[in-house]
Short mmCIF file of all heavy atoms in Angstrom, two decimals:
data_model
loop_
_atom_site.label_atom_id
_atom_site.label_comp_id
_atom_site.label_asym_id
_atom_site.label_seq_id
_atom_site.Cartn_x
_atom_site.Cartn_y
_atom_site.Cartn_z
N CYS J 5 92.49 127.32 97.54
CA CYS J 5 93.23 126.02 97.90
C CYS J 5 92.93 125.64 99.34
O CYS J 5 92.97 126.37 100.22
CB CYS J 5 94.77 126.26 97.72
SG CYS J 5 95.29 126.67 96.07
N ASN J 6 92.64 124.33 99.48
CA ASN J 6 92.47 123.79 100.86
C ASN J 6 93.85 123.70 101.53
O ASN J 6 94.87 123.87 100.90
CB ASN J 6 91.73 122.45 100.76
CG ASN J 6 92.47 121.34 100.09
OD1 ASN J 6 93.65 121.36 100.05
ND2 ASN J 6 91.77 120.48 99.39
N SER J 7 93.77 123.38 102.81
CA SER J 7 95.01 123.42 103.62
C SER J 7 96.02 122.40 103.17
O SER J 7 97.18 122.59 103.13
CB SER J 7 94.70 123.19 105.11
OG SER J 7 94.00 122.01 105.32
N ARG J 8 95.51 121.23 102.72
CA ARG J 8 96.42 120.18 102.26
C ARG J 8 97.17 120.64 101.00
O ARG J 8 98.38 120.43 100.84
CB ARG J 8 95.72 118.89 102.01
CG ARG J 8 96.50 117.67 101.59
CD ARG J 8 95.66 116.50 101.27
NE ARG J 8 95.00 116.05 102.51
CZ ARG J 8 95.54 115.11 103.31
NH1 ARG J 8 96.69 114.70 103.08
NH2 ARG J 8 94.79 114.77 104.40
N ARG J 9 96.43 121.22 100.07
CA ARG J 9 97.08 121.64 98.83
C ARG J 9 98.07 122.78 99.09
O ARG J 9 99.16 122.82 98.58
CB ARG J 9 96.02 122.11 97.81
CG ARG J 9 96.57 122.60 96.51
CD ARG J 9 95.53 122.83 95.53
NE ARG J 9 96.03 123.43 94.29
CZ ARG J 9 95.26 123.68 93.14
NH1 ARG J 9 94.02 123.32 93.17
NH2 ARG J 9 95.78 124.27 92.06
N ALA J 10 97.61 123.74 99.96
CA ALA J 10 98.53 124.83 100.27
C ALA J 10 99.73 124.40 100.95
O ALA J 10 100.87 124.96 100.75
CB ALA J 10 97.75 125.93 101.10
N ARG J 11 99.65 123.40 101.88
CA ARG J 11 100.77 122.95 102.62
C ARG J 11 101.78 122.25 101.72
O ARG J 11 102.98 122.30 102.02
CB ARG J 11 100.24 121.92 103.68
CG ARG J 11 101.31 121.38 104.61
CD ARG J 11 100.68 120.54 105.69
NE ARG J 11 101.67 119.85 106.47
CZ ARG J 11 102.17 118.67 106.23
NH1 ARG J 11 101.66 117.96 105.18
NH2 ARG J 11 103.09 118.07 106.98
N GLY J 12 101.40 121.74 100.64
CA GLY J 12 102.30 121.06 99.71
C GLY J 12 102.91 122.02 98.69
O GLY J 12 103.58 121.43 97.69
N ALA J 13 102.67 123.27 98.78
CA ALA J 13 103.06 124.17 97.69
C ALA J 13 104.57 124.53 97.81
O ALA J 13 105.12 124.73 98.89
CB ALA J 13 102.25 125.43 97.74
N VAL J 14 105.15 124.61 96.64
CA VAL J 14 106.59 125.04 96.51
C VAL J 14 106.62 126.03 95.33
O VAL J 14 105.98 125.81 94.31
CB VAL J 14 107.50 123.88 96.16
CG1 VAL J 14 108.92 124.35 95.72
CG2 VAL J 14 107.61 122.98 97.37
N ARG J 15 107.32 127.17 95.51
CA ARG J 15 107.54 128.14 94.49
C ARG J 15 108.94 128.07 93.97
O ARG J 15 109.92 128.27 94.70
CB ARG J 15 107.29 129.53 95.04
CG ARG J 15 107.38 130.60 93.90
CD ARG J 15 107.36 132.03 94.44
NE ARG J 15 108.58 132.39 95.21
CZ ARG J 15 108.83 133.56 95.77
NH1 ARG J 15 107.83 134.48 95.73
NH2 ARG J 15 109.93 133.75 96.45
N VAL J 16 109.04 127.82 92.64
CA VAL J 16 110.39 127.89 91.93
C VAL J 16 110.23 129.12 91.05
O VAL J 16 109.31 129.28 90.25
CB VAL J 16 110.53 126.69 91.05
CG1 VAL J 16 111.76 126.79 90.16
CG2 VAL J 16 110.64 125.42 91.99
N SER J 17 111.24 130.00 91.16
CA SER J 17 111.30 131.22 90.32
C SER J 17 112.70 131.33 89.79
O SER J 17 113.76 131.26 90.46
CB SER J 17 110.94 132.44 91.13
OG SER J 17 111.63 132.56 92.40
N LEU J 18 112.76 131.34 88.40
CA LEU J 18 114.04 131.23 87.68
C LEU J 18 114.59 132.62 87.30
O LEU J 18 113.78 133.67 87.39
CB LEU J 18 113.77 130.32 86.42
CG LEU J 18 113.34 128.98 86.75
CD1 LEU J 18 112.53 128.44 85.58
CD2 LEU J 18 114.51 128.03 87.02
N GLY J 19 115.87 132.66 86.97
CA GLY J 19 116.50 133.95 86.59
C GLY J 19 117.66 133.77 85.70
O GLY J 19 117.94 132.62 85.19
N ARG J 20 118.45 134.76 85.57
CA ARG J 20 119.54 134.90 84.56
C ARG J 20 120.62 133.77 84.86
O ARG J 20 121.28 133.34 83.90
CB ARG J 20 120.18 136.23 84.68
CG ARG J 20 119.41 137.44 84.20
CD ARG J 20 120.17 138.73 84.35
NE ARG J 20 121.19 138.85 83.18
CZ ARG J 20 122.23 139.61 83.29
NH1 ARG J 20 122.51 140.27 84.40
NH2 ARG J 20 123.10 139.73 82.23
N GLY J 21 120.74 133.36 86.05
CA GLY J 21 121.81 132.45 86.38
C GLY J 21 121.46 130.98 86.15
O GLY J 21 122.33 130.14 86.34
N ASN J 22 120.33 130.69 85.74
CA ASN J 22 119.89 129.30 85.52
C ASN J 22 120.13 128.83 84.13
O ASN J 22 120.12 129.59 83.14
CB ASN J 22 118.39 129.12 85.91
CG ASN J 22 118.13 129.37 87.40
OD1 ASN J 22 117.12 130.06 87.74
ND2 ASN J 22 118.90 128.83 88.24
N ASP J 23 120.28 127.49 83.97
CA ASP J 23 120.53 126.89 82.64
C ASP J 23 119.89 125.50 82.61
O ASP J 23 119.40 125.04 83.62
CB ASP J 23 121.98 126.79 82.32
CG ASP J 23 122.84 125.97 83.35
OD1 ASP J 23 122.29 125.02 83.90
OD2 ASP J 23 123.95 126.37 83.62
N PRO J 24 119.81 124.89 81.42
CA PRO J 24 119.10 123.60 81.30
C PRO J 24 119.68 122.53 82.19
O PRO J 24 118.91 121.66 82.72
CB PRO J 24 119.31 123.27 79.82
CG PRO J 24 119.49 124.59 79.11
CD PRO J 24 120.19 125.46 80.10
N ALA J 25 120.96 122.53 82.47
CA ALA J 25 121.56 121.53 83.31
C ALA J 25 121.07 121.65 84.77
O ALA J 25 120.79 120.68 85.47
CB ALA J 25 123.08 121.56 83.28
N GLN J 26 120.96 122.88 85.26
CA GLN J 26 120.46 123.17 86.57
C GLN J 26 118.98 122.76 86.70
O GLN J 26 118.55 122.18 87.64
CB GLN J 26 120.59 124.61 86.93
CG GLN J 26 122.06 125.08 87.12
CD GLN J 26 122.14 126.52 87.55
OE1 GLN J 26 121.23 127.35 87.15
NE2 GLN J 26 123.16 126.86 88.20
N VAL J 27 118.22 123.00 85.59
CA VAL J 27 116.76 122.66 85.64
C VAL J 27 116.65 121.10 85.72
O VAL J 27 115.77 120.56 86.45
CB VAL J 27 116.07 123.22 84.40
CG1 VAL J 27 114.70 122.60 84.24
CG2 VAL J 27 115.85 124.81 84.64
N ALA J 28 117.42 120.41 85.00
CA ALA J 28 117.37 118.96 84.98
C ALA J 28 117.77 118.39 86.33
O ALA J 28 117.18 117.49 86.87
CB ALA J 28 118.37 118.39 83.92
N ALA J 29 118.82 119.00 86.97
CA ALA J 29 119.18 118.60 88.32
C ALA J 29 118.14 118.88 89.34
O ALA J 29 117.83 118.10 90.27
CB ALA J 29 120.45 119.30 88.70
N ALA J 30 117.42 120.08 89.17
CA ALA J 30 116.34 120.46 90.09
C ALA J 30 115.18 119.44 89.98
O ALA J 30 114.64 119.00 90.96
CB ALA J 30 115.90 121.85 89.81
N ALA J 31 114.84 119.09 88.80
CA ALA J 31 113.74 118.14 88.57
C ALA J 31 114.07 116.84 89.23
O ALA J 31 113.24 116.21 89.91
CB ALA J 31 113.48 117.96 87.07
N GLN J 32 115.34 116.34 89.01
CA GLN J 32 115.75 115.06 89.57
C GLN J 32 115.64 115.13 91.12
O GLN J 32 115.16 114.19 91.78
CB GLN J 32 117.16 114.74 89.10
CG GLN J 32 117.68 113.35 89.59
CD GLN J 32 119.02 113.04 89.03
OE1 GLN J 32 119.66 113.91 88.45
NE2 GLN J 32 119.47 111.87 89.17
N ALA J 33 116.13 116.19 91.68
CA ALA J 33 116.20 116.36 93.17
C ALA J 33 114.74 116.37 93.72
O ALA J 33 114.49 115.68 94.75
CB ALA J 33 116.90 117.61 93.55
N LEU J 34 113.84 117.12 93.13
CA LEU J 34 112.47 117.25 93.56
C LEU J 34 111.73 115.96 93.46
O LEU J 34 111.01 115.51 94.43
CB LEU J 34 111.67 118.42 92.84
CG LEU J 34 112.15 119.81 93.20
CD1 LEU J 34 111.68 120.80 92.22
CD2 LEU J 34 111.74 120.20 94.65
N ILE J 35 111.92 115.27 92.35
CA ILE J 35 111.22 113.95 92.12
C ILE J 35 111.75 112.99 93.17
O ILE J 35 110.97 112.20 93.77
CB ILE J 35 111.46 113.50 90.67
CG1 ILE J 35 110.72 114.40 89.71
CG2 ILE J 35 111.00 112.06 90.56
CD1 ILE J 35 111.12 114.24 88.27
N GLY J 36 113.02 112.91 93.30
CA GLY J 36 113.63 111.94 94.26
C GLY J 36 113.18 112.21 95.73
O GLY J 36 112.80 111.27 96.44
N ALA J 37 113.12 113.50 96.12
CA ALA J 37 112.62 113.83 97.41
C ALA J 37 111.18 113.49 97.66
O ALA J 37 110.77 113.00 98.74
CB ALA J 37 112.95 115.28 97.70
N TRP J 38 110.41 113.82 96.57
CA TRP J 38 108.95 113.53 96.72
C TRP J 38 108.70 112.04 96.83
O TRP J 38 107.92 111.58 97.67
CB TRP J 38 108.23 114.07 95.50
CG TRP J 38 106.72 113.78 95.57
CD1 TRP J 38 105.78 114.45 96.35
CD2 TRP J 38 106.04 112.64 95.00
NE1 TRP J 38 104.56 113.88 96.22
CE2 TRP J 38 104.62 112.72 95.38
CE3 TRP J 38 106.50 111.67 94.16
CZ2 TRP J 38 103.72 111.80 94.97
CZ3 TRP J 38 105.48 110.72 93.74
CH2 TRP J 38 104.19 110.84 94.11
N ASN J 39 109.41 111.24 96.04
CA ASN J 39 109.25 109.79 96.10
C ASN J 39 109.60 109.26 97.52
O ASN J 39 108.82 108.39 98.11
CB ASN J 39 110.06 109.07 95.08
CG ASN J 39 109.51 109.14 93.65
OD1 ASN J 39 108.25 109.03 93.54
ND2 ASN J 39 110.32 109.28 92.65
N LEU J 40 110.67 109.81 98.13
CA LEU J 40 111.10 109.40 99.38
C LEU J 40 110.07 109.74 100.43
O LEU J 40 109.61 108.95 101.32
CB LEU J 40 112.41 110.00 99.72
CG LEU J 40 113.07 109.57 101.11
CD1 LEU J 40 113.39 108.11 101.12
CD2 LEU J 40 114.32 110.45 101.32
N LEU J 41 109.60 110.99 100.44
CA LEU J 41 108.68 111.49 101.45
C LEU J 41 107.28 110.88 101.30
O LEU J 41 106.57 110.46 102.31
CB LEU J 41 108.57 113.01 101.39
CG LEU J 41 109.81 113.81 101.82
CD1 LEU J 41 109.61 115.25 101.47
CD2 LEU J 41 110.13 113.59 103.27
N ALA J 42 106.81 110.74 100.07
CA ALA J 42 105.50 110.19 99.86
C ALA J 42 105.45 108.65 100.25
O ALA J 42 104.43 108.23 100.87
CB ALA J 42 105.11 110.23 98.39
N LYS J 43 106.59 107.98 100.01
CA LYS J 43 106.63 106.56 100.40
C LYS J 43 106.60 106.54 101.97
O LYS J 43 105.87 105.64 102.52
CB LYS J 43 107.94 105.95 99.89
CG LYS J 43 108.07 104.50 100.24
CD LYS J 43 109.36 103.90 99.65
CE LYS J 43 109.49 102.42 100.02
NZ LYS J 43 110.77 101.84 99.54
#
């Protein structure tokens, strides 16, 4: 990976405490934050 790709990396690791509602909320949060930062 080049430095730009590595700099943009995020690791999500799931476990016993996660559920579909949390995953939906996480997706919404990451998408919203990316749109704001990329803009």
